[in-house]
Amino acid sequence: MKEIKQIFKKEFIFLDLEFQNQDELFSFVERFLKEKGYVKEEAISLLLKEREILGSTGVGHGIALPHLSLKTLFEPVILFFRLKRPLEWEAIDKKPVKIIVFIFSPEKEREFYLKLLSHIADLLSNEKIISSLLKAKTKEEVFQYLVFKKKISIFKRYQNIFIYLLSLFLIFILSKLLFQNIKIPDSPFNSDLWIRKEYIATTLFFSMVLGTLLFFHYRVAFGGIALTLLLLTGVTDIDSTVKFMSIPTILFIIMVMIMVKWLSEKGLFKYLVIKAIRHFGNSPLLLFASLMFFSSILGGFIDEVSAILITLSIAIEIVRLTKANIVSYIVGLVMATNIGSALTLVGNPIGIYLAFAAKFTFFDFLKNATWLSFLSLLLTIFLILLIYRKDIGLKTKISAELEEKIDKKELKVSLIVFLTFVILIISHSFIENLLKVEERTMLLGAGFLIVGFILFYEKEYSRFLVERGPDWWTILYFMFLFANAACLEYTGVTEKIAYLLSEGAKRIPFFRADLKETFGSLTILLWGSGILSGFVDNLPIVAALVPVVKSLGAKGIPYTNLLYWSLLIGGCFGGNLTMIGSTANLCAVGVYERTFRKSFKFSDWLKTGIIVTFLTLLFANILFLIRILK
Amino acid sequence: MENIVLVIDKANDFYKKFLDYFKKNKKKIILLAFPKEEEVEEYWHFLFSLGEELQKAKVSFSIGLEKGSLFSLLNLVETISCEMVILPKSKFLLLGEEYDDFLKELNCPLLIY
């Protein structure tokens, strides 16, 4: 079998020639082939033209691959043209073409001809190669790019798999060494049996977290496999695994997802936000600030993804009217939503997880998280306006343009349902005390009750709501994640980490001896969960660290509750650090890329992300410190 | 004449029925593929061999390949005069929750096979 380097010749490369039209180029090609003796009588130009009439050979992205198989040709020929002035080619994307590769092959060598075509098309599907070909200064350079396809090393091709396996191996070795050497006085977890379970549980937990980070689309599979291995190695059993899955938390998340889907479809939130921001009239600055504010409030009461989708759709309209920079709106709204998701217990899955795991009520959130998030939101709005002050657009009248049509009756029903849910969530602990039922019963009950009503109300549509409302993929991931993380607590891993953390915190200089452990642990948890949440989903981090806080509480360090709040704040605020920090970020970037057909730059996010995350975490850290000292 | 965009999935033979239909009805079609990174060359080969068949049948056609998400199809549909888009169900299902946005933005009829 011939190779491209045997066929392709440097003298068949033509750089920066100029042709008036396709016909002129085809005539040039025919003359050239005849001069070189490849063809004699064939009207190549005509055949090429006929092929173009049948359908353009422009494959898009400024590239055309005219090709013919000819009876009389004795060997394949490839001609490469880079034009000085792009030619109209009726390509599938209607863009003029700048790179044209003619491929001629003997009719009897059909299979080779197809291989040659696909090989060249494959090369020209690579943006880097196209860019190199466009920049190449000599024929030699073009020849090198086309003939010597850069071989991707095995390491590069399977880079993530290597990183994954190597990291797991290191985690296995390090955790084995670590847990063998930490001996907590009077702890049952010092025996060889538990130490074995500890390093297996740690390795498998990280197998899921790293799997999520490196192979995001397979995260559920990684969770399932890790759980199976935990069962097969005897680290846990089926009954415990089901218990670890924290079914009440999962059920509550499912109920909230169904309700939010229904409310979003009714248009309630969009209507409310438009009503609210219309009062801020014509100033683009106030408009931007108010939209961030309401995005944040929405993020506190519904999930962050729904909140960002609603406000972003309004933002796109505003950007259209004010000619503002959409990037500023995307970054600003997402950051406000992430901060706002810590406002209440329903704003973020980690809030729900904490409510069930640490038995926090709605009022606990009000006392500890709401005010802190609110102040941080004001700081965030100030920072965003400062950073993007030149990008917020022109004065405009939005009142008539942003009109949301909505069925008044449906609006009333959905508003009543939403308010009832909020009231039930606020008063859940009061109702539980009144009815003398178990804690958190009414939290779950509120979800069941509201969803029950919605399903009655929607009749046959209710099945669609149950099937499409919850993100079942994510729900299953959460279940695997909770079970994996709970194994860390069950095997004593988190107790040992808590022991290390408190021993480390004791060494902080210049601080009140009785509060060193609290402040040190809080600072580590806040910044640790914050920075990690910028790169990994915040729930695995919080799920793994909640038992650590429980163990610290069991050790009797003061103000343990604040440590839980530091996890909530770190997990929510840290999501602002990078473009991949939270689902809301990814979702907003996805909307941007689809709507504006452009890629969002990682650096565009990062430069603002670093400033906002650092300052909001620092602000929260100072507020926590004040609370501890008071 | 308006184009029909046929997105090819090698694993789903049903596209052959459309090709037969196009051969009989002389429709102008764009054969498109959205392969995974490692399947690009294989898909080009497949597209060119289908192109040969269509050329013999004198069917007007063009071919193209996109590496991004199915949303890049929207660009193409907006640029050309498109009569209909035909998608394999495997690609449509990959849209997941985004199918709604995709349908909203698609400005021509969609057929799924």
Side-chain angles (χ1 to χ4, degrees):
Chain A
M1 175 68 77
K2 288 187 221 75
E3 282 191 41
I4 189 168
K5 62 183 169 194
Q6 293 170 275
I7 303 158
F8 197 38
K9 293 173 182 154
K10 279 176 214 163
E11 70 240 53
F12 292 178
I13 297 171
F14 302 93
L15 297 183
D16 303 323
L17 296 187
E18 204 170 342
F19 297 95
Q20 293 306 311
N21 49 40
Q22 250 183 10
D23 291 349
E24 202 179 302
L25 173 62
F26 290 166
S27 304
F28 179 90
V29 169
E30 183 175 331
R31 270 200 315 276
F32 181 81
L33 290 177
K34 283 180 177 165
E35 272 169 25
K36 294 283 171 190
Y38 282 97
V39 288
K40 285 176 188 160
E41 301 302 322
E42 287 90 339
I44 298 292
S45 174
L46 194 67
L47 291 171
L48 285 168
K49 210 170 167 187
E50 276 175 8
R51 173 63 188 89
E52 294 301 327
I53 290 168
L54 191 64
S56 170
T57 56
V59 291
H61 309 283
I63 292 171
L65 298 171
H67 50 280
L68 288 176
S69 57
L70 301 165
K71 264 186 198 162
T72 52
L73 202 65
F74 52 92
E75 66 175 33
V77 190
I78 302 169
L79 305 181
F80 177 93
F81 287 81
R82 186 181 70 192
L83 303 182
K84 197 170 181 184
R85 197 166 52 84
L87 276 183
E88 285 305 324
W89 210 273
E90 285 296 308
I92 58 167
D93 58 359
K94 299 286 173 218
K95 285 184 185 159
V97 301
K98 186 140 194 203
I99 291 178
I100 303 156
V101 184
F102 289 88
I103 300 151
F104 303 99
S105 177
E107 218 170 57
K108 58 184 178 195
E109 293 186 34
R110 182 181 176 272
E111 193 46 38
F112 177 70
Y113 168 60
L114 288 175
K115 274 197 175 156
L116 198 58
L117 268 172
S118 49
H119 175 77
I120 289 169
D122 178 39
L123 278 174
L124 297 175
S125 303
N126 185 324
E127 280 178 29
K128 279 186 187 161
I129 291 184
I130 298 175
S131 155
S132 306
L133 289 171
L134 288 171
K135 285 181 203 154
K137 290 197 173 92
T138 61
K139 291 183 179 186
E140 178 63 36
E141 275 182 67
V142 172
F143 186 76
Q144 295 294 328
Y145 287 125
L146 286 178
V147 171
F148 299 104
K149 187 180 178 183
K150 245 190 188 168
K151 279 191 181 154
I152 303 167
S153 68
I154 288 187
F155 178 75
K156 187 123 186 156
R157 180 169 293 180
Y158 301 108
Q159 170 176 301
N160 281 3
I161 297 176
F162 283 124
I163 293 172
Y164 180 76
L165 293 175
L166 186 67
S167 307
L168 278 192
F169 177 70
L170 288 174
I171 288 166
F172 178 77
I173 300 291
L174 290 175
S175 57
K176 191 172 177 180
L177 286 172
L178 185 74
F179 296 124
Q180 276 170 345
N181 288 298
I182 304 173
K183 302 282 181 208
I184 305 175
D186 305 323
S187 169
F189 297 117
N190 294 333
S191 71
D192 287 346
L193 176 71
W194 282 106
I195 288 171
R196 179 182 162 273
K197 288 187 175 189
E198 281 161 9
Y199 62 73
I200 292 176
T202 306
T203 309
L204 291 174
F205 176 74
F206 277 99
S207 76
M208 183 176 183
V209 175
L210 283 172
T212 304
L213 188 64
L214 296 169
F215 312 95
F216 190 69
H217 294 293
Y218 299 99
R219 60 193 185 280
V220 179
F222 276 99
I225 291 168
L227 210 51
T228 311
L229 293 174
L230 283 168
L231 287 165
L232 293 178
T233 50
V235 172
T236 182
D237 53 55
I238 292 174
D239 287 346
S240 305
T241 304
V242 173
K243 202 175 131 204
F244 293 162
M245 283 179 175
S246 186
I247 301 300
T249 314
I250 294 291
L251 283 172
F252 186 70
I253 294 173
I254 294 172
M255 295 305 124
V256 171
M257 283 178 167
I258 294 175
M259 182 190 72
V260 169
K261 171 89 177 168
W262 182 72
L263 291 171
S264 300
E265 293 209 344
K266 295 286 166 204
L268 173 72
F269 300 123
K270 194 169 178 183
Y271 178 82
L272 292 178
V273 175
I274 288 177
K275 274 269 171 207
I277 63 164
R278 280 174 65 185
H279 295 292
F280 294 93
N282 308 330
S283 158
L285 189 85
L286 276 178
L287 211 55
F288 189 17
S290 62
L291 197 58
M292 277 177 71
F293 180 80
F294 290 112
S295 190
S296 182
I297 301 295
L298 218 50
F301 285 94
I302 59 174
D303 70 292
E304 49 185 0
V305 171
S306 305
I308 196 65
L309 287 178
I310 290 161
T311 49
L312 200 55
S313 65
I314 301 168
I316 289 170
E317 286 298 301
I318 293 175
V319 164
R320 190 175 58 79
L321 297 169
T322 59
K323 311 237 178 308
N325 177 4
I326 183 69
V327 172
S328 59
Y329 267 83
I330 287 180
V331 175
L333 291 180
V334 171
M335 290 191 178
T337 310
N338 285 336
I339 300 274
S341 69
L343 280 169
T344 76
L345 70 79
V346 288
N348 196 300
I350 60 172
I352 298 173
Y353 185 76
L354 282 172
F356 281 91
K359 300 198 162 102
F360 286 145
T361 65
F362 192 87
F363 284 104
D364 290 327
F365 273 76
L366 279 185
K367 275 192 289 182
N368 296 284
T370 309
W371 64 274
L372 200 152
S373 300
F374 189 78
L375 291 177
S376 304
L377 169 66
L378 298 181
L379 173 66
T380 306
I381 294 176
F382 170 74
L383 291 171
I384 292 288
L385 292 181
L386 194 69
I387 295 168
Y388 293 110
R389 62 191 179 280
K390 290 178 185 156
D391 297 324
I392 51 175
L394 313 162
K395 267 192 175 184
T396 185
K397 275 199 168 181
I398 61 152
S399 47
E401 298 278 347
L402 280 183
E403 195 66 67
E404 185 68 358
K405 288 190 182 97
I406 193 163
D407 181 331
K408 293 280 177 200
K409 186 199 153 209
E410 293 290 298
L411 175 72
K412 272 184 200 161
V413 175
S414 52
L415 190 60
I416 290 168
V417 167
F418 181 58
L419 290 177
T420 311
F421 177 73
V422 173
I423 291 166
L424 287 173
I425 293 294
I426 292 172
S427 57
H428 75 94
S429 52
F430 173 75
I431 300 171
E432 284 152 10
N433 286 334
L434 195 74
L435 299 175
K436 294 190 173 55
V437 289
E438 205 184 325
E439 284 176 323
R440 252 51 49 204
T441 303
M442 204 47 218
L443 207 55
L444 203 50
F448 288 155
L449 192 71
I450 294 299
V451 169
F453 170 79
I454 292 171
L455 299 185
F456 268 124
Y457 184 78
E458 286 298 332
K459 300 183 187 85
E460 58 273 15
Y461 181 64
S462 57
R463 189 189 172 102
F464 174 84
L465 274 175
V466 173
E467 285 175 357
R468 302 306 302 249
D471 179 355
W472 292 109
W473 173 259
T474 305
I475 298 285
L476 193 58
Y477 174 72
F478 284 174
M479 290 170 81
F480 289 157
L481 175 67
F482 291 165
N484 273 294
C487 280
L488 297 179
E489 183 183 7
Y490 173 69
T491 55
V493 170
T494 51
E495 191 175 313
K496 289 193 171 174
I497 291 170
Y499 176 74
L500 281 181
L501 197 62
S502 71
E503 289 300 307
K506 279 180 195 166
R507 295 193 174 88
I508 297 175
F510 316 116
F511 206 79
R512 267 172 56 182
D514 56 331
L515 297 175
K516 267 185 184 184
E517 282 180 84
T518 308
F519 182 67
S521 307
L522 184 142
T523 306
I524 294 169
L525 291 172
L526 177 74
W527 287 89
S529 60
I531 292 167
L532 287 173
S533 295
F535 300 93
V536 191
D537 188 11
N538 56 13
L539 196 57
I541 297 156
V542 172
L545 291 176
V546 161
V548 173
V549 176
K550 273 187 194 166
S551 301
L552 286 170
K555 273 171 61 71
I557 74 160
Y559 306 115
T560 321
N561 272 1
L562 287 183
L563 304 186
Y564 288 114
W565 299 114
S566 72
L567 285 180
L568 175 75
I569 298 299
C572 291
F573 291 12
N576 285 335
L577 184 59
T578 70
M579 201 170 94
I580 54 164
S582 88
T583 325
N585 308 17
L586 291 170
C587 205
V589 168
V591 170
Y592 169 83
E593 293 187 343
R594 288 201 309 271
T595 311
F596 298 96
R597 313 278 156 81
K598 279 192 256 179
S599 297
F600 201 100
K601 285 186 195 156
F602 200 84
S603 57
D604 276 351
W605 192 289
L606 196 63
K607 57 191 177 195
T608 311
I610 290 174
I611 297 169
V612 172
T613 309
F614 176 76
L615 290 178
T616 49
L617 284 179
L618 184 67
F619 182 61
N621 209 167
I622 293 167
L623 293 177
F624 276 127
L625 177 64
I626 293 168
R627 279 201 66 185
I628 292 172
L629 291 175
K630 266 170 89 181
Chain B
M1 189 164 40
E2 292 205 319
N3 297 282
I4 293 180
V5 175
L6 172 61
V7 178
I8 296 288
D9 175 7
K10 277 175 70 179
N12 185 346
D13 272 359
F14 206 83
Y15 71 85
K16 288 180 183 165
K17 298 198 172 159
F18 290 111
L19 288 184
D20 290 342
Y21 173 80
F22 299 139
K23 282 177 196 167
K24 279 178 204 156
N25 293 280
K26 303 286 178 215
K27 290 279 182 186
K28 188 177 175 188
I29 60 167
I30 293 177
L31 292 179
L32 209 58
F34 284 83
K36 292 178 196 158
E37 187 70 41
E38 64 274 16
E39 292 177 335
V40 171
E41 189 167 348
E42 196 184 320
Y43 259 91
W44 273 121
H45 188 281
F46 191 59
L47 289 173
F48 282 120
S49 57
L50 289 179
E52 287 244 296
E53 267 182 49
L54 293 169
Q55 194 173 351
K56 275 178 200 154
K58 301 264 182 242
V59 176
S60 178
F61 76 99
S62 291
I63 58 174
L65 182 142
E66 288 291 336
K67 285 185 188 171
S69 88
L70 206 52
F71 276 86
S72 54
L73 181 68
L74 299 172
N75 272 339
L76 177 72
V77 172
E78 273 172 26
T79 322
I80 58 172
S81 169
C82 189
E83 191 177 325
M84 188 194 293
V85 169
I86 304 172
L87 268 186
K89 64 174 182 281
S90 59
K91 293 288 162 205
F92 187 72
L93 289 175
L94 273 183
L95 285 168
E97 284 293 299
E98 292 179 324
Y99 81 97
D100 221 5
D101 291 338
F102 180 80
L103 291 181
K104 262 184 222 162
E105 290 181 40
L106 186 68
N107 59 12
C108 71
L110 171 72
L111 197 67
I112 296 170
Y113 68 93

